[in-house]
Amino acid sequence: MTVKWGVIGAGGIADRRTIPEGILSAKNASLVAVMDIDRKKAAEVAQKYGGVKRYFREKDLLSDPDIDAVYIATATYLHKEQTCMAAIAGKHVLCEKPMAMTLIECEEMIDACRKNRVKLMLGYMMRFHAIRQVIKRMVDDGKLGKIVLARAQLSCWYPPIAGAWRQKLELGGGGSLIDMGTHCIDLLEMFVGKASKINCFVANAVHAYESEDSAIALLEFENGAHGVVDSYFNIPCESSENRLEIYGTRGSIMASGTIGQASDGEAIARPESIVEDYDALQTGIDASGGVLLKPELVNIYQAEIEHFSECIEKDRTPWITGEAGMRNLKLVLAGYESARCGKAMPL
């Protein structure tokens, strides 16, 4: 079966990554139509990808009987309405993160998809990175012992841009924390488990737009481990390694360049002792004595689309459910509340 896709919000990440690397590359997906309120953008993207159908209103795309699933890549404040519209139209939904503006909106999205018997998945595509899959297996298998500390960094240079919805609170819900920190929080919970408390600091250290350009969050997990998330819109892209660090009682893993939109990067494990049973790895030893983690890389957008398409085809529960997206937003909103009141917030 080939799942036939429509895209709501044809610019930005959809045009840059998800359509060319995901939908067009996936073995079980095909692009049928794109929609954007910017008529010029919709026409350009439709032509760029083989002359697929173009629409300028959500309801017109959602009325297309050829479409099985939609990818929603619009500003956050539109996610709830568009997801509910898609569910009522009988279309499965892959919605970009963050899920919505409020937890009530998340509940409405989940309820709409459940009532109309369509699947809902959130676009945390970074989970599909091959190196992170290896790290997940190592952590789960106890190779690092008890995890005590984890850090995820995702920062970039994002100057004031006219019309940029991420820089307006009423359109995006926040800045660097809700936009990039949301990915970092998702990854840390993927490795360490559920967080139970968050303490957050936000600021506009450089840029004067409405949303924050600086955010750092300290997490406490249910298992006692600690976490650090740092996401900044004011650090030059080439200056940020976008690191993932995991420390346990039997070793550590240091990865750079694996958090972000790319599908490559590198990681070095420094276990208590070098072992030879890292599943499906072609490993070597780096200069510091660590183990290079070198799995066969996959494109994270292709893997995301193929996974959700397979869930539709085989009636399986997606890896990143609506409930998971809602939990992530709950953590982010608690982070903002922590920053406002100056104390840690329990989950």
Side-chain angles (χ1 to χ4, degrees):
M1 174 183 175
T2 298
V3 175
K4 293 172 286 187
W5 285 79
V7 173
I8 297 177
I13 192 66
D15 182 29
R16 188 169 64 251
R17 294 284 192 175
T18 309
I19 293 176
E21 297 180 30
I23 298 174
L24 296 184
S25 299
K27 301 178 180 65
N28 53 357
S30 64
L31 181 66
V32 171
V34 298
M35 171 267 155
D36 203 285
I37 58 172
D38 183 334
R39 290 174 173 254
K40 181 180 179 182
K41 172 59 68 175
E44 288 175 350
V45 174
Q47 184 62 33
K48 179 179 180 179
Y49 298 116
V52 299
K53 288 181 276 190
R54 64 182 187 269
Y55 295 104
F56 312 120
R57 299 184 301 177
E58 298 96 329
K59 68 177 185 179
D60 294 332
L61 180 141
L62 294 172
S63 297
D64 190 329
D66 292 334
I67 293 174
D68 303 312
V70 293
Y71 168 58
I72 296 176
T74 52
T76 308
Y77 80 102
L78 295 170
H79 289 179
K80 189 269 291 187
E81 179 182 4
Q82 292 171 339
T83 295
C84 292
M85 289 175 64
I88 293 170
K91 313 299 185 185
H92 303 283
V93 179
L94 171 60
C95 181
E96 265 302 342
K97 53 81 232 157
M99 185 171 178
M101 299 289 281
T102 68
L103 298 180
I104 291 176
E105 287 187 349
C106 293
E107 291 175 348
E108 292 178 10
M109 294 163 71
I110 293 168
D111 288 344
C113 291
R114 182 184 297 116
K115 289 176 181 177
N116 290 281
R117 305 185 70 177
V118 298
K119 300 188 183 300
L120 171 62
M121 187 171 107
L122 272 294
Y124 288 98
M125 79 292 175
M126 296 183 197
R127 287 197 193 187
F128 293 90
H129 197 292
I131 290 177
R132 275 192 290 280
Q133 294 295 311
V134 171
I135 295 172
K136 173 67 171 170
R137 291 200 298 271
M138 291 179 66
V139 170
D140 290 349
D141 291 344
K143 294 291 195 296
L144 301 183
K146 175 180 171 60
I147 304 303
V148 296
L149 173 64
R151 176 196 176 207
Q153 174 197 51
L154 180 56
S155 295
C156 70
W157 183 257
Y158 190 44
I161 301 171
W165 59 264
R166 290 178 179 84
Q167 298 174 2
K168 292 185 175 294
L169 292 175
E170 71 272 19
L171 303 182
S176 59
L177 178 64
I178 199 170
D179 182 58
M180 298 191 303
T182 182
H183 276 298
C184 296
I185 290 171
D186 180 68
L187 292 176
L188 291 192
E189 286 208 317
M190 171 183 167
F191 295 122
V192 186
K194 290 184 177 181
S196 59
K197 188 183 298 183
I198 184 169
N199 196 3
C200 189
F201 303 89
V202 302
N204 287 85
V206 176
H207 304 309
Y209 38 68
E210 293 178 12
S211 59
E212 81 279 356
D213 69 359
S214 307
I216 186 163
L218 308 178
L219 300 168
E220 183 174 277
F221 294 89
E222 291 180 354
N223 60 10
H226 293 158
V228 181
V229 166
D230 44 303
S231 296
Y232 290 75
F233 278 163
N234 50 31
I235 297 176
C237 297
E238 63 272 14
S239 299
S240 176
E241 291 191 4
N242 291 335
R243 294 186 63 79
L244 172 66
E245 304 173 8
I246 302 177
Y247 301 88
T249 56
R250 293 185 56 199
S252 66
I253 293 175
M254 309 286 187
S256 61
T258 66
I259 299 182
Q261 297 177 11
S263 300
D264 53 6
E266 61 181 26
I268 299 172
R270 294 185 176 89
E272 189 175 61
S273 60
I274 302 298
V275 294
E276 298 179 355
D277 58 348
Y278 293 149
D279 183 38
L281 291 180
Q282 298 176 357
T283 60
I285 306 299
D286 84 326
S288 67
V291 180
L292 296 171
L293 305 184
K294 299 171 62 177
E296 181 178 353
L297 297 178
V298 298
N299 184 283
I300 55 178
Y301 295 92
Q302 180 179 344
E304 176 186 50
I305 295 296
E306 288 181 346
H307 168 74
F308 191 53
S309 297
E310 183 176 342
C311 289
I312 294 170
E313 177 187 2
K314 298 183 179 179
D315 192 22
R316 295 175 178 170
T317 300
W319 189 13
I320 309 119
T321 61
E323 288 79 4
M326 181 174 174
R327 173 176 172 76
N328 186 284
L329 182 63
K330 184 177 181 179
L331 270 162
V332 169
L333 294 180
Y336 284 129
E337 182 62 22
S338 167
R340 280 191 291 268
C341 68
K343 63 180 182 180
M345 298 299 295
L347 271 296

